[in-house]
Structures are given as C-alpha cells and as structure tokens.
Amino acid sequence: MSLTLIVLLPFAGALLPAWAARRSRSASAWTAGAVAAASFALLLARAPALFAGEVARAAWEWVPELGLRASFRLDGLGFLFAFLILGIGLLIVLYARHYLGAGDAMGRFYAYLLLFMGSMLGIVLSENLVLLLVFWELTSLTSFLLIGFWSHKAAGRQGARMALVVTGGGGLALLAGILLLGAIVGSYELTDVLAAGEQIRASPAYLPALALVLLGAFTKSAQFPFHFWLPHAMAAPTPVSAYLHSATMVKAGIFLLARLHPALAGTPEWFFLVTGAGLATLVVGAYVALVQHDLKALLAFSTVSHLGLMTALLGFGTAAAAQVALFHVFNHAAFKAALFMNAGIVGHETGRLDLRRLGGLRRYLPVSAALAVLAAAAMAGVAPLNGYLSKEMFLAESLDLAELRALPWLVPAIATLAVALSLAYALRYVVGVYFGEPARFDRPPHEPPRAMRLPVELLVGVCVAVGLMPMLLAAPVVAVAARAAAGGGAVPELHLALWHGLNLPLLLSAVGLAAGVVVWRGAPRLERLHESALPLPEAKRIYDRALEACAAAARWLTARLESDSLQRYLALLLATALVALAGPLVAAPVEAGDAPRIPADPLSLAAWVLLVAGALGTVLRHRERIVAVVLVGVVGLVVSLAFVHLSAPDLALTQLAVEVVTVVLILLALELLPRRTPVESSRARKLRDGALAVAAGAAVGWVSWLLLTRPFESISGYFLAESKPRGGGANVVNVILVDFRGYDTFGEITVLAIAALGVFALIDGLGLPNAFRVAPDDEARHPLMLAVVARLVLPLALLVAVFLFLRGHQHPGSGFVAGLVVGVALILQYIASGIGWTRTKMPRDFHPLVASGLLLAGLIGIGSFLFAHPFLTGWFDYFTLPGIGKFELTSALVFDLGVFLTVVGGVLLILVHMGKAAESDAVRLPETGPRGE
Amino acid sequence: MELLLASAIGVLVAAGVYLLLRARSFPVILGLALLGYATNLFLFASGRVRVGLWPVITDGMKEYPDPLPQALVLTAIVIGFGMTAYVLVLALRARIELGSDHVDGDADDADRGGAP
C-alpha cells in the first residue's frame, strides 16, 4: 500500500497548496513541500529492503480481461529515478517560493508541480506497461500546464503547445509499441515482458515494436531530430525548466530505454537506431549550445547534448554501458538543476538572460559565481567532480565497443569532440556571465535570498561530494539501478574512482579538454559564421509549417462536410441509415413468423384509429402549433392506453404523468416561440421528405411486424424468479429498476439532473430580471376557480404520490411516477396562481432538491460497501410491530426516495424556469412571418 | 393486435421523420416526441405483447409479461422527457439570441441546404 501511496500522494495533495495559497504564499510552499516530503519519506523507508535485493510490488485488478492491472513495482531503477524526482522536486519547491513574483498564482503553480511529480513517479514505479503509458501521457499534459504557466506570454503558450504536440504524439507511437509488445508476450506486466527478451527479439513484430517505442522515448528525451521542442519549452518559469529538464520530463525517455533494456536491447537494430540517434544528438546539441546567446537556451541545448550521451550509452546494449548511463543520469540531474537555478538567479537579480548583455557579475554575486563555476565544471567533466567520472567511463565504454569493427575510432572520436564542445559551452556560460567586461546596471544586482540559493548550494555540494567519494555516495544506488536495468543479467562490479591510472580514456579526455579551450576561444567567430553562412533549416519553422498544413487540411475537409444545414444533415443521415438497412431487409424472411397471435378487439382498433389520426393530424396541422401540441398529446394518451392493455401498468402510469408535464412544458415554451410555422418548404422538398418519411416508417413497421410475429426466448426468467426472494418486491419492473439494474437508474436520474441544470443554465443565461412583476391583470390571468381547485387538489395529489411511492415495490407505482405526480401538482399551483404568488410559498431553489436526491441514491449505493457488497447491493428484511403487523424495510425504498427527489426537483427546476422566461416581457419577440414578408 | 402495433409504430416513425425534416425548431421537437413514442413502443415490442397479464408476482399466477423491456422503456420515457425539455429550451434560447426559430439560425437563407 505504501508503495502505491508514493505515487498517489502528490495527486491527492495537489489541491492543498492551491487551498493554502489563500492564507499566504509561504503556506502554499510549505504544503507542497510537505506533500512531496511525505512521498519522499515513504520512498526512503523502502530503501533498506530494496538494497537487500527485494523488489516490492502492489497490484489491483483494473480491466483483467484486457490484461490491464493497476500494478506498481519498486526496483533499483525505479528507486534511482523516484529519488531524483522527489529529491530535486523538494529543492524546486523551495526555490520557486522565492523565484515566483507577486503576480504569479503560486497555489496554481504548486498544484501543477505536484500533479506533474505524481505523473513522473507513476512512470518510474509502474509495473504494468499500459499504466506506465497513462502516466506517460499525464506528464505530457501536466508539463503542458507547467510550461505554459505564464499563459499571458505568447512564447509560453507556443512552447507548451509544441512540447505537447511532440511528446504527446510520441506517446501515441509508444502506445502502439506497447500494444505490440503486449501482443508478442501475452502480458503487459513488466515482470513478464522483461523475462521474454529472447521471444521479443525473435518475433517478426520486433522491428516495428522497437521503432514505435523508440519514437516515444526519443520525442520525450528530445533526441535529434525531435530535439526542437525542448529549447522552446524554456519559455517556462525557470523552476519548471530546472525540474523538467534536469531530473524529470526528459529523463522519462532515458528511463524507458533503461526499463525496456532487457527486453529490446542487444540487437544490431537497437545499436544503430539508439546509438545513432544518441551520437547525433550529442554533437548537434553541443554545437548549437555553443552558439546561443540566451542562458537558458544554452543550457537547454546542453541538456539535449547530455541526453544524447545517455541515449548513446544505452544503445551500446551492454550492462556495463547502461550502468554508466544511469550514473550519468544521476550526475546530470545534480549539475544541470544547479545550473538552471543559477541562470534563474541571474535572471531574477538582473532581469537579463542574454550573454551579450551580461558579464563581470562575480563582483556582485560572488557566491553564486563560485557555485556556477563548480556546476559548470561538473557539466564539462572536469576532475574531481561527478561529471568527470561518468564522462571518463563514457570514453572507456566507447573504446570497448564491439560493433563497428570497420571504424573502431569513430565513436571515440565523436565522444572526444563532444567533450571539447561541452567544455567550450561551459566556459562560455561561466565566463560570459561572471567574468570579463562588467556589464552596466542601473541598480547593482545582489545575491538572492538565502533560501533561493540553498538548493543550488546543496546540489553543487552533491557534485563535489560524489566526485570525491563516489564509492560511498553514488555507487550503491547506481549499482542497484543497473542490476534492475539488466533484468537479471550479469552486471560488472561498479568501480568508481577519480584515478584509474594513465590510460587511453584519460588521454582522450585531456585532448578533448585542451581542444575545448581552443573551441571556446574561437566561439565568437563560430557564432558569426553560424548566423551568416550556415543556413541550417530551423526546426520550428518546419514544425509550424507542418502544423499549418494540418490545420488547412482540416479546414478543407470541414468545409466539404459541413453545410451548416440541420435539414440537410438529417436527411443525409436518414438516407444513409435506410440504404444501410436495405440489404438486411431484402435478405430478411418475407413471411410473418408463426408465434401465436392475439386477436384484435374493437377497442384496440378504435385506439389505433385515434393514434394514426393523431400522428397524421400532427403532420397536417403542424403549422398551427397549439393544435399540433394537442394532437401530440392525443398520441401520447393512446400510447399510455396501449401500455395498460398490453400488461404494462407501470409504463402507463409513467407515460401519463410525463405526457402531462411535457404538454405543460411545450405550452410554456410556445409563449416565447411563434404560434404558427410559416410555409417555406418547396414542393420538391416536401416530396423528398415525404418519401424519406414513408420509407423509414415502412422499414421500421416491417421490422416490428417480423419481430412481433416470431417467438423468442426471454432472458427475464431470472428477474421473475429472483424478484421476491432477492429483491424483496413483487413488482418485478420496479425491482429491476431500483435493485437489479439500480446502477442504470442511478445513471438515468443523473442524466435527468444534468438536463434540468442545462435548462436552468440556458434560461439563466438570458439575463432575465430577477424580480417577478405582479401585473395588475393578475386576477384575469389566474382565474379564481382554477386557483381554488388547484389548492384543494394539492394535498390529494401529495397523498396519491405517497401512496404510489410506498406501494411501488409491490404494486405498480414507483419513485418516478410519484415524483412526476408531485411535480404536476406543484406546477399546477404556478399555473393557477402565478409565479409571483407561488414563489412566496415555495422554496425558490430546486437545485438542493435535485442534489439531495442524487446524493441519497448515491449514498445508499455506497452504503453497501460497508457490508462488503458491490455498489448498490439491495438489502431488505421483514419486521413485525404490534398494531401495524408485518412490514418490510428495504434499502431499495431509500434509493427510490432518491429517485423521487431527483425527479421532483428536476421537473420543477425545468418548469419553473421555463415559466419564468415565459412570464418575462424582456425576451418576447414579434412573430416571425413567412419568408419574404 | 401485432399488426396494429407494428403499423402504429410505422406511422409514428413516418410522421416523426417528416416533422424532423422541417425547417423550424418547433415541428422538429414534435417530430422528436413522435419518434420517441415509436422507439419506446418498438423497444417494448421486443419483449412481445401479452394481454391481461401483470408483471407483479402473484400467488397462483403462471404467466407474466416480460418485465425487462418494461423497465428499459420506463427509463427511456423519463430520459425522453429530459431531452424534450432540453431541446425545447435550446430552441427557445436560439430564437431569442438569433431572432429566428429556423433550425439553421437564419430565416433569410432557409432553403440553401438543397436536396442531397
């Protein structure tokens, strides 16, 4: 359980800082920090067991039929990443408290940050691959919110959208890849997938699955040529950049490569795709970083470059190289977070991020300068810092490479070049900001608040300490992660040390660093060359153009499909349905079935004539709207009579009550709609519509006939047999509604409540005056006789409703019917006495009624959890009281009460607001005449 | 009886469809109501029709009508009411905001859809 809590706590606590922000900004930061710290503590509490070799698991069934389980695991790999996510996350919380200005919504920021943190933790602690994907996409969504946090800035919005499109699109590819893997292995559980490496690599679907998974990983980790979103994401507030681009978001792709390493790695395809992309990214990122002016852009491209390094190492496909990659993940997180925060401090104190307008800051910010020098040296791989260790190991691994026998020098040469470029851009950052010609400032900048610098100090401390004591501080956690990434395969003993003797990697390193100084010296010239002579295709422009083309294609298609005419849509829809139905209808047996028929009696025939007359009359007289409403009412009444005759008393009651309410409703609406429909359809149009109507009617009538004349096996035997013993009610229809299929009914009253709220919202939006006028002609509009009768009827109607409600479980009647009867009786008061009068006697607001009905039905459903039964399990028992005799108590009655309250509230909410609109003169419009008048 | 019910469903569908294709919102709503009756009757008919029975468990009774379609139709009737109410108010709002009760929002351009 505590394993799942690590992931769930940030989600559960995401709203707390937003709530605390109402008190104070510090309260908000403290709450966010407390949530993250709680999660961190749970993680650390599991460390001893983990280092003892235990892999913790926790699982809940989700959709077992599809192989979906909500299952989590904590192994070394997950631990390393979760440690970084939470550890650096805590530092970011502290840093952001002072970084964000007074105008920034701090509560919202921390809420997003915690959601993102939870999503990241979900990725690294998922056992089920589909669950992993869900969290993967959640990071895309939450990072969108974080990157676009300054939504007033166009760059922020665009950067957020670009990150979402690229990483979200990659997520779709990953989904397809995961489905392929699941199809090969037959399970989405990581334990099974990782154990099935041989099987996966031998499968014909290996290559497509690999390509799709890599697409997901490369887009997330900003590998070339998908690297372009990362620098644009720098429009985010710096704490976001520091978090997303050091320890989390972009590391998710690296994590995925390491996670699936045992399943996918070790083939030539893996080597060439992964190492190829990694090396290209390593060099391109480093080169572009060298020619940036913006501090954050420089760091962004250096991140791209370092991600390339880790990817390349994972591409080598050996356990040893993967171990080095994981060590570099750790190191990079420390020095890059420190550098981003440092850049944020520079921006915060000077308001500038452009290298051309900075310089000599070491006089004003001596401590920050020292910290920046150390962090940048770690990034460049200078001894004795942590970056040096992983860089040396990278060089050593590149020399050990077994593939590429034809060109053994190629990878080491690229690695050495990258070392040189890395030192050059590190120098450019440090010298450009803190040394050299001092920039002019109107107000001399000063050191930031201590709390803002503290995270940087801690991180730089980590860089130094790990460099000096790697075996003590880093080796255990890296080794346990590497063992997990090897999936049970052998991992060489991890030996971290500054001094390995005079060897080839050391030589390459020295050559690289020396070349780096030369490159740095030439950087200004390179920059000019880059800007004038090298017309490199700019990725953003290509992306923009592709996006524009997509939008244009969508517009073209929409214009083709949409004519903005409902009549045309409906006609097309019906015609399509008829055409689709034609085939099966022609193939269907022509003759009627042989089920026993019921002879028609004269009364039924008369009802049929009435119904047909009503329906056809509605069509013929539909222009006179009031007449048409009456005719539709006739049809409705005949339908309820049909239900009575055809053994469905509950339906007849409900239909009757609904009929009354509907007619009242339509008449109210007619107050605001024209009373007549103008003539405007052409003759051809009428013929077309008539033909469609006749065809549809004939088809449905024919199908009904074929259906009705055939015998069938009902599935209702169960309900009939179990209604009394298990539902405790004799009225099977009611027992189905409130017990067997109670969940459906719950959904249904929810829909009714939503419809009622929708009606309310639509009428409320009209901006009607709140006060009701009591017109002088009120007497005339509300005749005395009607008012008196209505008031007399009310108690009677309420009594009938109670009767219908209570007997519902055993005899025809139910919460629905009772609710409708009460609704009609109350509406009658409004009609008889006017809204103004009735409002003084009744609650003004029916929302609470609807809400309490839904709540009651939901609570009684949840109540069955207390007895370890599924949602809405019914309960009943018989009791005997002296004087009353034996009676039954059932939970279904309470559920039905919820239904009743929702129906009453919903009906009143709809009718009263409709009446309110109808009584108001503010919205009355002149009659619309026929066209052309 | 079966023939009466089947033909009644057919007539209701035909009338409903014709009204559904009218240009003003009000006949469309009436058409929806008629189609609603037809759909409910059709759903009800899928349990076959019986006369003079009772879906209430009674001692000594051997035969019952099919209760399941009845329960489904009961739900459908109430949902149908909710939908009618919502569409009505939508039509009302459209008429007030747009000044016309044409289903496409403007009366001057009524027939531009044309036949498919």
Side-chain angles (χ1 to χ4, degrees), chain A residues 32-98:
Chain A
V35 172
S39 208
F40 200 28
L42 285 175
L43 179 77
L44 292 182
R46 292 194 160 266
L50 180 91
F51 284 106
E54 185 194 311
V55 175
R57 289 192 180 81
W60 283 267
E61 291 302 333
W62 181 9
V63 190
E65 297 81 14
L66 297 176
L68 296 188
R69 299 173 80 210
S71 50
F72 296 94
R73 81 190 242 143
L74 177 67
D75 58 9
L77 189 62
F79 181 81
L80 170 67
F81 280 86
F83 182 85
L84 293 176
I85 292 163
L86 287 165
I88 297 196
L90 275 170
L91 298 181
I92 295 291
V93 168
L94 178 62
Y95 180 80
R97 162 67 186 86
H98 294 279

Side-chain angles (χ1 to χ4, degrees), chain A residues 498-584:
Chain A
L498 286 170
W499 180 249
H500 284 277
L502 272 176
N503 55 14
L504 200 51
L506 188 66
L507 179 70
L508 287 180
S509 191
V511 170
L513 290 181
V517 177
V518 177
V519 175
W520 170 65
R521 289 249 170 231
R525 223 172 303 154
L526 189 67
E527 210 176 303
R528 278 195 296 278
L529 191 72
H530 176 79
E531 270 159 21
S532 60
L534 271 175
L536 285 178
E538 210 212 327
K540 181 173 185 330
R541 204 168 307 148
I542 300 172
Y543 161 88
D544 282 343
R545 230 173 264 163
L547 218 58
E548 236 165 68
C550 280
R555 267 196 300 275
W556 176 84
L557 194 66
T558 311
R560 281 303 178 89
L561 289 176
E562 284 190 8
S563 60
D564 278 351
S565 162
L566 181 70
Q567 288 176 281
R568 185 176 194 173
Y569 293 152
L570 285 177
L572 279 172
L573 201 69
L574 285 163
T576 313
L578 280 172
V579 170
L581 198 61

Side-chain angles (χ1 to χ4, degrees), chain A residues 566-567 598 608 625 647 659 672 680-681 688-689 707 710 714 716 730 732 748 762 810 925-926 928, chain B residues 1 4 7 14 21-22 24 37 48 50 53 55-57 66 70 75 92-93 95 101 104 107 111 116:
Chain A
L566 181 70
Q567 288 176 281
I598 303 166
W608 182 85
R625 293 184 168 181
S647 319
E659 208 46 53
L672 292 171
E680 50 195 355
S681 296
R688 181 201 75 176
D689 293 350
L707 181 84
R710 279 171 169 68
S714 169
S716 298
V732 188
E748 180 212 344
L762 279 170
Q810 309 296 347
L925 290 169
T928 332
Chain B
M1 184 64 80
L4 289 185
S7 58
L21 293 169
R22 297 303 90 210
R24 300 286 167 161
Y37 295 138
R48 306 301 183 271
R50 310 296 299 270
L53 296 178
V56 176
I57 307 293
D66 198 335
Q70 294 199 14
T75 310
L92 226 141
R93 180 82 189 262
R95 141 100 176 176
D101 66 336
D104 300 334
D111 271 333

Side-chain angles (χ1 to χ4, degrees), chain A residues 880-907:
Chain A
T880 317
L881 267 187
I884 296 177
K886 189 177 161 189
F887 67 100
E888 184 192 1
L889 278 182
T890 160
S891 66
L893 195 69
V894 183
F895 181 73
D896 218 12
L897 184 63
V899 174
F900 168 80
L901 290 176
T902 313
V903 172
V904 173
V907 166

Side-chain angles (χ1 to χ4, degrees), chain A residues 564-568 570-572 574 597-598 600-601 604-605 608 611 615 618-619 622 625 628-629 632 635-636 643 645-651 654-655 658-659 661-662 665-666 669-670 672 674 677-678 680-681 685-686 688-690 693 696-697 700-701 704-705 707-708 710 712 714-716 719-720 730 732-733 736-737 748 751 755 758-759 762-763 765-766 810 812 816 907 910 914 923 925-926 928 931, chain B residues 1-30 33-34 37 40-42 44-57 64-79 81-86 88-93 95-97 99-104 107-116:
Chain A
D564 278 351
S565 162
L566 181 70
Q567 288 176 281
R568 185 176 194 173
L570 285 177
L572 279 172
L574 285 163
R597 313 263 173 83
I598 303 166
D601 47 301
S604 301
L605 199 65
W608 182 85
L611 181 134
T618 312
V619 170
H622 79 268
R625 293 184 168 181
V629 174
V632 169
V635 175
F643 286 140
H645 189 55
L646 299 174
S647 319
D650 275 298
L651 292 190
T654 314
Q655 180 74 58
V658 162
E659 208 46 53
V661 180
T662 309
L665 188 70
I666 297 181
L670 265 184
L672 292 171
T677 307
E680 50 195 355
S681 296
R685 173 67 76 89
K686 282 182 186 164
R688 181 201 75 176
D689 293 350
V700 178
S704 311
W705 169 242
L707 181 84
L708 277 166
R710 279 171 169 68
F712 89 121
S714 169
I715 57 166
S716 298
F719 298 113
L720 287 167
V732 188
V733 176
I736 291 177
L737 283 174
E748 180 212 344
V751 171
V759 168
L762 279 170
I763 292 184
L766 289 173
Q810 309 296 347
F816 279 122
V907 166
I910 290 172
M914 191 75 116
V923 292
L925 290 169
T928 332
R931 199 151 70 100
Chain B
M1 184 64 80
E2 282 81 3
L3 186 63
L4 289 185
L5 185 56
S7 58
I9 294 174
V11 169
L12 286 176
V13 167
V17 165
Y18 184 78
L19 289 177
L20 204 60
L21 293 169
R22 297 303 90 210
R24 300 286 167 161
S25 54
F26 194 73
V28 172
I29 293 165
L30 294 185
L34 291 181
Y37 295 138
N40 289 346
L41 283 174
F42 181 77
F44 179 67
S46 70
R48 306 301 183 271
V49 291
R50 310 296 299 270
V51 173
L53 296 178
W54 191 238
V56 176
I57 307 293
Y64 295 98
D66 198 335
L68 194 58
Q70 294 199 14
L72 295 179
V73 171
L74 203 151
T75 310
I77 293 173
V78 179
I79 295 266
F81 165 69
M83 191 184 76
T84 308
Y86 188 76
L88 256 179
V89 177
L90 208 58
L92 226 141
R93 180 82 189 262
R95 141 100 176 176
I96 290 165
E97 300 261 319
S100 156
D101 66 336
H102 195 278
V103 286
D104 300 334
D108 300 333
D109 209 9
D111 271 333
R112 80 200 138 117

